[in-house]
Amino acid sequence: MSIKVDPTKCNGCTLCVKACPVDAIEVKDKLAVIDLDKCTLCSACVSACRFKAISIEVDKQPAEDLQNYKDVWVFGEQRDGKVAPVVFELINVGRQLADDRSSELSVIILGDNLDEAVADLASYPVDKVYVYEAPELEIYDSERYCRVLTDVMRDYKPEIVLAGATTTGRSFMSGVAIRLYTGLTADCTGLEIGEDGLLHQTRPAYGGNIMATILCPYTRPQMATVRHKVFPTSAKRCEGEAEIIRLTPKPALFGSRSKFVDFVETVGEQGNLVDADIIISGGRGLGGPEGSAPIRELADELGAAVGASRAAVDAGWIPYAHQVGQTGKTVCPKIYIACGISGAVQHQVGLKSSDVIIAINRDPNAPVFDIATHGFVGDIFEVLPALTKKIKALRGAPADSCVIQ
Amino acid sequence: MKICCCIKQVPGTTEVKINPETNTLVREGVETQINPFDLYALEEAMRTKEKMAEAGEESTVTVISMGPPQAEDALREAISLGADRAILLSDRAFAGSDTWCTSYVLAKALEKIEPDLVFCGMQAIDGDTGQVGPGIAVHLDMAQTAYVAEVVSIDAKKMVAKRLIEEGYETVELKLPALCTVVKEINEPRTASLRGKMAAKKAEITQWGAAELETPEDKVGLAGSPTQVVKIMTPPCREGGEKFTGETPELVDKLYAELKCLEVV
Ligand SMILES: Cc1cc2nc3c(=O)[nH]c(=O)nc-3n(C[C@H](O)[C@H](O)[C@H](O)COP(=O)(O)OP(=O)(O)OC[C@H]3O[C@@H](n4cnc5c(N)ncnc54)[C@H](O)[C@@H]3O)c2cc1C
Ligand SMILES: Nc1ncnc2c1ncn2[C@@H]1O[C@H](COP(=O)(O)O)[C@@H](O)[C@H]1O
């Protein structure tokens, strides 16, 4: 296995040098030379080269039993018997993938007292719902969940497994993939069956500055966690019904070295950022904890969640759970309204995939305007209260003509 | 108590910009940094050591990084921040490792140390997967929890940790040895002391490769990785749209009209 530059194809154009994230390539005498001590075999140069001069060779064969794996499975994450919204998005994309592979779509749900959740799942276009119920599984436990799901995967051999890129999905799916010695692609935003029949998984890396397409060619299942709100929620089924299959719990798998103590819900008033369609965020421009009042009032009026820049969080004005950005959350709402936020790169990476970005900032040169779909140069303490007032006053009034496109 | 912390060297954030003309990554120099979340992990490792000392138990903090030879810089920085010992896992054979192999190599190193407690960041800002920490724990078959925002209590046998999840805070109790991945809220990292900086200069960095870790060739690097990157592209830059200036009432009217178009008012 190695990385090679074909000297007959390379003309020393330096595209690869620019693409290399670890600065491992130099052009000497019109030929790209790769420093193998620095190279991480990330393949950025292979994609960047227009002359197909760079190649990475892996001498590896797919496992022999790949054809024994079929169907698409979705992990039906639930809490207190309520299915996580991302699951219905996974059903949507999973249905497409299963149809493309001419196979079936199943959901697996782990927990206890799941009747309502199962009925809910069965009302969507899935072929099967696998139900694994045991009191020990009522509350998520990474060790137990990992062992149980691994065991089910070994028995049923799905070809593709999708889970939400939630705190739950991201942490325990990693363990399942480790145990099965297969690949898990994190936080995917694109999923497609390629002509090769493989699952082509596309995901952002380096804070969304690059998109990487990843395959899992040699082992099964092909596993991915999928970002919230990238795929639309599935429509309910219009015909037929899902087969419900109850799996027999194996208590031998329920050992765990961790114990649940308690759970304190905090989202309530300010909304769950990752599920929100609209987020109104405040930054240092809020000027103090009381500065967030106009944001909260507008958020209430719009049914939006409240977000924050790191500056506002570090100042203690808004709790960390609301921080958007590199060291906070990545969000993809339909509308992101940045109020009194300068738009530093570290903040931008968290919100760049929002459909529409609206920025209100009194500094016309704030970097946030470089990415805002609609920028408003103004004072948030004047604009926001007036806007909220106007929305309240006109609630229910007929639509004006759209002045802005 | 033996405490370990896994840190990753990542590109300095500001460098990961796109040149709009060539549509390629712009790197000013080769600046790197310790992955921001790992600084919180390191700080928590040090605080745990201090807490244990108060309870009369001596501890050591060992930082481990897998990466190319220059990852040594990150390890020295960690020593300047107070870590006692640093180990670099570097070998040509490790290049191209995906999260399966990275967590495997880190686990093989940790196996030699037999730690009571391992701290990792919740995710690395370059790969952004958050899979390595939990993966290490599974390779080592130890207790684990992710997204820890507070270590509520700790002793030689167990720890109680509060984790930040979508809807709130969940508290769990873990039997040691255990691994935690941490979020930013957990603490505020200290800065390097003069003494730390001196220590960092002098420190010997242990280096382990495939031979020391006894990792088979087919379980590390590109050869051992179940996933393969087949394409990398730079998405088009997001461009700013129209910017409105004017008196407040005007702005409000426009903003309102915009929200109306978006069908939210
Ligand atoms: C390793 C690392 C990780 C980071 N991670 C994150 C992260 O996850 N998320 C994040 O947000 N940041 C992060 N940062 C910090 C980031 O670099 C910026 O410092 C931060 O985003 C700035 O927040 P801000 O825009 O609220 O404040 P400022 O940059 O101070 O901007 C405030 C803005 O408000 C405007 N303003 C002030 N008053 C008003 C008013 N009355 N009306 C209208 N506008 C007004 C000002 O013109 C200014 O543009 C990180 C930094 C580092 C080094
Ligand atoms: N190469 C590495 N060396 C040491 N620690 C790592 C490495 N890669 C990942 N980690 C640890 O795993 C965490 C999650 O990384 P990731 O899964 O890549 O997002 C990081 O915050 C580190 O604590």
Side-chain angles (χ1 to χ4, degrees), chain A residues 170 174 186 203, chain B residues 5-10 35-39 41 63-68 71 75 87-89 97-99 102-103 106 118-136 180-182:
Chain A
R170 277 196 180 211
S174 171
R203 64 174 306 250
Chain B
C5 176
C6 298
I7 65 168
K8 185 177 188 187
Q9 189 181 45
V10 296
N35 178 42
F37 288 106
D38 303 353
L39 291 172
V63 278
I64 303 185
S65 186
M66 165 173 146
L75 289 169
I87 305 173
L88 175 64
L89 312 178
S97 289
D98 70 357
T99 57
T102 304
S103 52
L106 288 164
V118 183
F119 288 104
C120 288
M122 80 171 225
Q123 66 187 45
I125 59 163
D126 54 353
D128 256 358
T129 78
Q131 290 172 188
V132 170
I136 295 171
C180 299
T181 77
V182 308

Coordinates of all heavy atoms in Angstrom, one line a residue, chain A residues 170 174 186 203, chain B residues 5-10 35-39 41 63-68 71 75 87-89 97-99 102-103 106 118-136 180-182, ligand 2:
Chain A
R170 N -23.8 9.0 17.6 CA -22.4 9.2 17.4 C -21.5 8.4 18.4 O -20.5 7.8 18.0 CB -22.0 10.6 17.5 CG -22.2 11.4 16.3 CD -21.4 12.7 16.5 NE -21.5 13.6 15.4 CZ -20.6 14.4 15.0 NH1 -19.4 14.4 15.7 NH2 -20.7 15.2 14.0
S174 N -20.1 4.0 17.1 CA -18.7 3.8 16.9 C -18.3 2.5 17.5 O -17.5 1.7 16.9 CB -17.9 5.0 17.6 OG -16.5 4.7 17.7
A186 N -19.0 9.3 9.8 CA -19.7 10.2 10.8 C -20.4 11.3 10.1 O -19.9 11.9 9.1 CB -18.7 10.7 11.8
R203 N -19.6 13.6 3.4 CA -19.6 14.3 4.7 C -18.7 15.5 4.7 O -17.6 15.5 4.0 CB -19.3 13.4 5.8 CG -17.8 12.9 5.8 CD -17.5 12.1 7.1 NE -17.9 12.9 8.2 CZ -16.9 13.4 9.0 NH1 -15.7 13.2 8.8 NH2 -17.3 14.2 10.0
Chain B
C5 N -4.6 11.1 28.6 CA -5.3 12.0 27.8 C -4.9 11.9 26.4 O -3.7 11.9 26.1 CB -5.1 13.4 28.4 SG -5.9 14.7 27.4
C6 N -5.8 11.7 25.5 CA -5.5 11.6 24.1 C -5.7 12.9 23.4 O -6.7 13.5 23.4 CB -6.4 10.6 23.4 SG -6.3 8.9 24.1
I7 N -4.6 13.4 22.8 CA -4.7 14.7 22.1 C -4.3 14.5 20.7 O -3.5 13.7 20.3 CB -3.8 15.8 22.8 CG1 -2.3 15.4 22.7 CG2 -4.2 16.0 24.2 CD1 -1.4 16.6 23.1
K8 N -5.0 15.4 19.8 CA -4.7 15.3 18.4 C -4.1 16.7 18.0 O -4.6 17.7 18.4 CB -5.9 14.9 17.7 CG -5.7 14.8 16.2 CD -6.9 14.3 15.4 CE -6.5 14.0 14.0 NZ -7.7 13.7 13.1
Q9 N -3.2 16.6 17.1 CA -2.7 17.9 16.5 C -3.5 18.1 15.3 O -3.7 17.3 14.4 CB -1.2 17.7 16.1 CG -0.6 19.0 15.7 CD 0.9 18.8 15.3 OE1 1.2 17.9 14.6 NE2 1.7 19.7 15.8
V10 N -4.1 19.3 15.2 CA -4.9 19.7 14.0 C -4.5 21.0 13.4 O -3.7 21.7 14.1 CB -6.4 19.8 14.5 CG1 -7.0 18.5 15.0 CG2 -6.6 20.9 15.5
N35 N -6.0 20.1 19.2 CA -7.5 20.1 19.0 C -8.2 20.8 20.2 O -7.9 20.4 21.4 CB -8.0 18.7 18.8 CG -9.5 18.6 18.7 OD1 -10.1 19.4 18.0 ND2 -10.1 17.7 19.3
P36 N -8.9 21.9 20.0 CA -9.5 22.7 21.1 C -10.1 21.8 22.2 O -9.9 22.0 23.4 CB -10.5 23.6 20.5 CG -10.1 23.7 19.0 CD -9.3 22.5 18.7
F37 N -10.9 20.8 21.8 CA -11.6 20.0 22.8 C -10.6 19.2 23.7 O -10.9 18.9 24.8 CB -12.6 19.1 22.2 CG -13.8 19.7 21.6 CD1 -14.0 19.9 20.3 CD2 -14.8 20.2 22.5 CE1 -15.1 20.5 19.8 CE2 -15.9 20.8 22.0 CZ -16.1 21.0 20.6
D38 N -9.5 18.9 23.1 CA -8.5 18.1 23.8 C -7.8 18.9 24.9 O -7.3 18.4 25.9 CB -7.4 17.5 22.9 CG -8.1 16.7 21.8 OD1 -9.3 16.5 21.9 OD2 -7.4 16.3 20.9
L39 N -7.9 20.3 24.8 CA -7.3 21.1 25.9 C -8.2 21.0 27.1 O -7.7 21.0 28.2 CB -7.2 22.6 25.4 CG -6.2 22.9 24.3 CD1 -6.3 24.3 23.8 CD2 -4.8 22.6 24.9
A41 N -9.9 18.3 27.8 CA -9.7 17.0 28.3 C -8.4 17.0 29.1 O -8.4 16.4 30.2 CB -9.6 16.0 27.1
V63 N 0.1 12.1 28.4 CA -0.6 12.5 27.1 C -0.1 11.6 26.0 O 1.1 11.3 25.9 CB -0.5 14.0 26.7 CG1 -1.4 14.9 27.5 CG2 1.0 14.4 26.9
I64 N -1.1 11.3 25.1 CA -0.7 10.4 24.0 C -1.3 11.0 22.7 O -2.4 11.5 22.7 CB -1.4 9.0 24.2 CG1 -1.0 8.4 25.5 CG2 -1.0 8.1 23.0 CD1 -1.5 7.0 25.7
S65 N -0.4 11.0 21.7 CA -0.9 11.5 20.4 C -0.5 10.5 19.3 O 0.7 10.1 19.3 CB -0.4 12.9 20.1 OG -1.1 13.4 19.0
M66 N -1.4 10.2 18.4 CA -0.9 9.5 17.3 C -0.9 10.4 16.1 O -1.8 11.2 15.9 CB -2.0 8.4 17.0 CG -1.8 7.8 15.6 SD -2.9 6.4 15.3 CE -3.3 6.6 13.6
G67 N 0.2 10.4 15.4 CA 0.3 11.3 14.2 C 1.7 11.3 13.7 O 2.6 10.6 14.1
P68 N 1.9 12.2 12.7 CA 3.3 12.3 12.1 C 4.3 12.9 13.1 O 3.8 13.4 14.2 CB 3.1 13.3 10.9 CG 1.8 14.0 11.3 CD 1.0 13.1 12.1
A71 N 3.8 15.9 15.4 CA 2.8 15.9 16.5 C 3.5 16.1 17.8 O 2.9 16.3 18.8 CB 1.9 14.7 16.4
L75 N 2.5 17.5 21.8 CA 2.8 16.9 23.1 C 3.6 17.7 24.0 O 3.4 17.8 25.2 CB 3.5 15.5 22.8 CG 2.6 14.5 22.2 CD1 3.4 13.3 21.7 CD2 1.5 14.0 23.2
I87 N 3.7 10.6 25.1 CA 4.0 9.5 24.2 C 3.5 9.8 22.8 O 2.3 10.1 22.6 CB 3.4 8.1 24.7 CG1 3.8 7.9 26.1 CG2 3.8 7.0 23.8 CD1 3.2 6.7 26.8
L88 N 4.4 9.7 21.8 CA 4.0 9.9 20.4 C 3.9 8.5 19.7 O 4.8 7.7 19.8 CB 5.1 10.7 19.7 CG 4.9 11.0 18.2 CD1 3.6 11.7 18.0 CD2 6.1 11.7 17.7
L89 N 2.8 8.3 19.1 CA 2.6 7.1 18.4 C 2.7 7.4 16.9 O 1.9 8.0 16.3 CB 1.2 6.5 18.6 CG 0.8 6.4 20.1 CD1 -0.6 5.9 20.2 CD2 1.8 5.6 20.9
S97 N -4.9 5.9 8.6 CA -5.8 5.2 9.6 C -7.2 5.9 9.6 O -7.2 7.2 9.8 CB -5.2 5.2 11.0 OG -4.1 4.3 11.0
D98 N -8.2 5.2 9.6 CA -9.5 5.8 9.8 C -9.8 5.7 11.3 O -9.0 5.4 12.1 CB -10.6 5.2 8.9 CG -11.0 3.8 9.3 OD1 -10.3 3.2 10.2 OD2 -11.8 3.2 8.6
T99 N -11.1 6.0 11.7 CA -11.3 6.0 13.2 C -11.2 4.6 13.8 O -10.8 4.5 14.9 CB -12.7 6.6 13.5 OG1 -13.7 5.8 12.8 CG2 -12.9 8.0 13.1
T102 N -7.3 4.3 14.2 CA -6.8 5.3 15.1 C -7.2 4.9 16.5 O -6.3 4.8 17.4 CB -7.4 6.7 14.8 OG1 -7.1 7.0 13.5 CG2 -6.8 7.7 15.7
S103 N -8.4 4.5 16.7 CA -8.8 4.1 18.1 C -8.1 2.8 18.5 O -7.7 2.5 19.6 CB -10.3 4.0 18.3 OG -10.9 3.2 17.3
L106 N -4.4 3.8 19.4 CA -4.4 4.4 20.7 C -4.7 3.4 21.8 O -4.1 3.5 22.9 CB -5.4 5.6 20.7 CG -5.0 6.8 19.9 CD1 -6.2 7.7 19.6 CD2 -3.9 7.6 20.6
V118 N -9.2 7.7 31.3 CA -8.8 8.3 30.0 C -9.7 9.4 29.6 O -10.9 9.3 29.7 CB -8.8 7.2 28.8 CG1 -8.3 7.8 27.6 CG2 -8.0 6.0 29.2
F119 N -9.1 10.6 29.3 CA -9.9 11.7 28.8 C -9.6 11.9 27.3 O -8.5 11.9 26.9 CB -9.6 13.0 29.6 CG -10.1 13.0 31.0 CD1 -9.3 12.7 32.1 CD2 -11.5 13.2 31.2 CE1 -9.8 12.8 33.4 CE2 -12.0 13.2 32.5 CZ -11.1 13.0 33.6
C120 N -10.7 12.2 26.5 CA -10.6 12.5 25.1 C -11.4 13.8 24.9 O -12.3 14.0 25.7 CB -11.1 11.4 24.2 SG -10.0 10.0 24.1
G121 N -11.2 14.5 23.8 CA -12.1 15.5 23.4 C -13.4 14.9 22.8 O -13.4 13.8 22.4
M122 N -14.4 15.7 22.8 CA -15.7 15.1 22.2 C -15.5 14.9 20.7 O -16.2 14.0 20.2 CB -16.9 16.0 22.5 CG -17.0 17.2 21.6 SD -18.7 18.0 21.8 CE -19.1 18.3 20.1
Q123 N -14.7 15.7 20.0 CA -14.4 15.4 18.6 C -13.2 16.3 18.2 O -12.8 17.2 18.9 CB -15.6 15.8 17.7 CG -16.0 17.2 17.7 CD -17.3 17.4 17.0 OE1 -18.3 16.7 17.2 NE2 -17.3 18.4 16.1
A124 N -12.6 15.9 17.1 CA -11.5 16.7 16.6 C -12.1 17.6 15.5 O -13.0 17.3 14.8 CB -10.5 15.7 15.9
I125 N -11.5 18.8 15.5 CA -12.1 19.8 14.6 C -11.8 19.6 13.1 O -12.4 20.2 12.2 CB -11.8 21.3 14.9 CG1 -10.3 21.5 14.9 CG2 -12.3 21.6 16.3 CD1 -9.9 22.9 14.9
D126 N -10.9 18.7 12.8 CA -10.6 18.4 11.4 C -11.5 17.3 10.9 O -12.2 17.4 9.9 CB -9.1 18.2 11.1 CG -8.5 17.1 12.0 OD1 -9.2 16.6 12.9 OD2 -7.3 16.7 11.8
G127 N -11.4 16.1 11.6 CA -12.2 15.0 11.2 C -13.6 15.1 11.6 O -14.5 14.7 11.0
D128 N -13.8 15.8 12.8 CA -15.2 16.0 13.3 C -16.0 14.7 13.5 O -17.2 14.7 13.3 CB -16.0 16.8 12.2 CG -16.1 18.2 12.6 OD1 -15.7 18.6 13.7 OD2 -16.7 19.0 11.8
T129 N -15.4 13.6 13.8 CA -16.2 12.4 13.9 C -16.7 12.1 15.3 O -17.8 11.6 15.5 CB -15.5 11.1 13.4 OG1 -14.6 10.7 14.4 CG2 -14.7 11.4 12.1
G130 N -15.9 12.4 16.3 CA -16.3 12.0 17.7 C -16.3 10.5 17.9 O -16.9 10.0 18.9
Q131 N -15.7 9.8 17.0 CA -15.8 8.3 17.1 C -14.6 7.7 17.8 O -14.7 6.5 18.2 CB -16.0 7.7 15.7 CG -17.3 8.0 15.1 CD -17.4 7.6 13.6 OE1 -18.4 7.9 13.0 NE2 -16.5 6.9 13.0
V132 N -13.5 8.4 17.8 CA -12.3 7.8 18.3 C -12.4 7.5 19.8 O -12.0 6.4 20.2 CB -11.1 8.7 18.0 CG1 -9.8 8.2 18.7 CG2 -10.8 8.7 16.4
G133 N -12.8 8.4 20.6 CA -12.9 8.2 22.0 C -13.7 7.0 22.4 O -13.2 6.0 23.0
P134 N -15.0 7.0 22.0 CA -15.8 5.8 22.3 C -15.2 4.5 21.7 O -15.3 3.4 22.3 CB -17.2 6.1 21.6 CG -17.2 7.6 21.6 CD -15.8 8.1 21.4
G135 N -14.6 4.6 20.6 CA -13.9 3.5 19.9 C -12.8 2.9 20.8 O -12.7 1.7 20.9
I136 N -12.0 3.8 21.4 CA -10.9 3.3 22.2 C -11.5 2.5 23.4 O -11.0 1.4 23.7 CB -10.1 4.5 22.8 CG1 -9.4 5.3 21.7 CG2 -9.1 4.1 23.9 CD1 -8.8 6.6 22.2
C180 N -13.8 9.0 29.3 CA -14.8 10.1 29.1 C -14.4 11.0 27.9 O -13.2 11.3 27.8 CB -14.8 11.1 30.2 SG -15.2 10.4 31.8
T181 N -15.3 11.4 27.1 CA -15.0 12.4 26.2 C -15.7 13.7 26.7 O -16.8 13.6 27.3 CB -15.5 12.1 24.7 OG1 -16.9 12.3 24.6 CG2 -15.1 10.7 24.3
V182 N -15.0 14.8 26.5 CA -15.5 16.0 27.2 C -15.9 17.1 26.3 O -15.5 17.2 25.1 CB -14.4 16.6 28.2 CG1 -13.9 15.5 29.1 CG2 -13.3 17.2 27.4
Ligands
LIG2 N1 -4.5 10.8 16.2 C1 -5.0 11.0 17.5 N2 -4.1 11.0 18.5 C2 -4.6 11.1 19.8 N3 -5.9 11.3 20.1 C3 -6.8 11.3 19.1 C4 -6.4 11.2 17.7 N4 -7.5 11.2 17.0 C5 -8.5 11.4 17.8 N5 -8.1 11.5 19.1 C6 -8.9 11.7 20.3 O1 -10.3 11.4 20.0 C7 -11.1 12.5 20.1 C8 -12.2 12.5 19.0 O2 -11.6 12.6 17.7 P1 -12.4 12.3 16.4 O3 -13.1 11.0 16.6 O4 -11.4 12.2 15.4 O5 -13.4 13.4 16.2 C9 -10.1 13.7 20.1 O6 -10.7 14.8 20.7 C10 -8.9 13.1 20.8 O7 -9.1 13.2 22.2

